[in-house]
Amino acid sequence: MVNFIKTDTLKQKPTDESKLGFGRIFTDYMFTMRYSPEEGWHDAVVEPYHAFEMDPAAMVLHYGQTIFEGLKCYRREDGGLQLFRPRDNFARMNISAERLSIPQFDADLALEGLLKLLDVERDWVPHQKDTSLYIRPFIIATDPYVGVRASNSYIFCIILSPVGAYYAHGLSPVGIYVEDNYVRAVRGGFGFAKTAGNYAASLKAGEEAKKKGFDQVLWLDGVDRKYVEEVGSMNMMFVVDGVLKTPALNGSILAGITRDSILKLAEKDGIKTSEERIAIADIFAAADEGKLDEAFGTGTAAVVSPVGELCWEGRKITVSSGEIGPITAKMYNQLTDIQWGRAEDPFGWIMKL
Ligand SMILES: *Cc1c(COP(=O)(O)O)cnc(C)c1O
């Protein structure tokens, strides 16, 4: 059961949807539920958006026991709303929870909470093309305790943020620095979990890449420093000699829902796909032979991020002549058409609200 606490003081909704940006504006309500060993997950409620009151000793602040998800609510041209594979996000959140010793939650209850929140906030879903309402579920550990163990108490929360097109000037290729010093995650660690520590670990490399003039970092594996893992916080795909290749899920990368969706869309289109271990040297060799057709990142926020340039150990290569490749564009268009309800969904991915 999800309760509702109403407020009469509502925020001013953004009037210019072309200036939404990403993740800066939050809506009037949020969903929360709490966990204690005695009661399990309880007190599920849609309530006015407000600051948490937290003990300075709250365990999340010291030991990073926290996980999150990211998905979007889309407005169709007929004005109706829809979600894309929301059950997959909550299933993945429970996988992250398991790795971080956070108690499992009932995914049906979380989805019920999200639907109730969206029902109250439906007017916050923007209308302009490529805009959406970003949904951020997360869990934090709240025991006031300084000492390393799993917390006994937690808060599960969902907040909403109206967001603009990820690329203000349309889809445009980015320059990528292949990181050979820092690593993001290793097998046996928690690279497959959506947890704060992975992003904290990535900041320094991102800053250094920016100073060198690149937009994002491509991570190599933490053991051999040879194999492609991810790009920024997106999964990585290459088109080599007509085959769409992506690193296999190996425990140190995130199992992206966009990654999975694009693999399925490509297969349906008769494009050959392969999940495998990809050596960065082989990608540069393919570029030398003229066989590196395209490269792009995939994730919910940007959907698809074309790569125009790769730099590794001082060598720079240009991909797709710095343009958006045909498979990249096709995957972007097909996926966003399904997400925004402009095309049929043959996969059962869409949940209409
Ligand atoms: C969220 C995320 C992705 C993309 O996952 P989607 O489900 O496609 O949004 C990829 N890599 C990392 C590290 C992520 O955090």
Side-chain angles (χ1 to χ4, degrees), residues 68-71 89 92 134 184 191 193-195 198-199 230-235 253-260 298-301 303:
F68 68 93
E69 270 302 324
L71 66 161
N89 289 92
R92 185 171 69 189
Y134 186 75
R184 175 188 168 274
K194 239 174 152 69
T195 183
N198 286 330
Y199 305 86
E230 303 199 55
V231 57
S233 45
M234 289 183 284
N235 293 110
I253 66 172
L254 213 277
I257 294 164
T258 317
R259 171 189 182 278
D260 182 72
T298 70
T300 296
V303 190

Side-chain angles (χ1 to χ4, degrees), residues 81-283:
L81 303 180
Q82 58 188 36
L83 297 171
F84 182 73
R85 306 183 68 175
R87 289 180 191 281
D88 293 296
N89 289 92
F90 289 125
R92 185 171 69 189
M93 196 170 180
N94 264 328
I95 292 171
S96 298
E98 202 277 328
R99 179 63 182 85
L100 275 283
S101 296
I102 292 171
Q104 296 288 296
F105 60 88
D106 176 357
D108 288 334
L109 177 59
L111 186 59
E112 187 189 332
L114 172 59
L115 296 181
K116 187 148 189 167
L117 176 62
L118 288 170
D119 191 43
V120 175
E121 299 289 63
R122 42 177 53 245
D123 291 345
W124 278 95
V125 184
H127 298 74
Q128 252 182 36
K129 187 164 188 291
D130 296 334
T131 62
S132 58
L133 188 67
Y134 186 75
I135 301 165
R136 168 52 59 89
F138 62 101
I139 298 177
I140 55 173
T142 50
D143 275 11
Y145 179 67
V146 174
V148 177
R149 60 159 170 77
S151 179
N152 291 308
S153 59
Y154 299 87
I155 297 175
F156 179 119
C157 182
I158 304 176
I159 54 174
L160 306 174
S161 174
V163 298
Y166 199 80
Y167 298 102
H169 308 289
L171 209 59
S172 61
V174 294
I176 300 291
Y177 185 78
V178 180
E179 180 58 58
D180 53 10
N181 180 27
Y182 302 108
V183 298
R184 175 188 168 274
V186 289
R187 253 151 280 164
F190 53 31
F192 65 88
K194 239 174 152 69
T195 183
N198 286 330
Y199 305 86
S202 77
L203 299 176
K204 183 94 180 141
E207 285 169 7
E208 291 184 9
K210 283 234 160 68
K211 271 191 213 138
K212 292 178 192 127
F214 297 92
D215 302 294
Q216 299 253 12
V217 166
L218 187 150
W219 301 101
L220 298 178
D221 76 283
V223 178
D224 298 304
R225 315 249 176 138
K226 279 184 187 164
Y227 303 103
V228 175
E229 297 251 301
E230 303 199 55
V231 57
S233 45
M234 289 183 284
N235 293 110
M236 187 70 216
M237 300 208 171
F238 300 98
V239 182
V240 180
D241 213 6
V243 179
L244 181 63
K245 295 186 179 200
T246 193
L249 301 177
N250 60 2
S252 56
I253 66 172
L254 213 277
I257 294 164
T258 317
R259 171 189 182 278
D260 182 72
S261 306
I262 287 180
L263 288 174
K264 294 197 163 96
L265 279 171
E267 280 156 25
K268 190 168 166 291
D269 271 358
I271 297 168
K272 211 164 167 268
T273 65
S274 169
E275 297 174 69
E276 58 185 66
R277 198 161 77 160
I278 300 173
I280 188 68
D282 290 345
I283 293 300

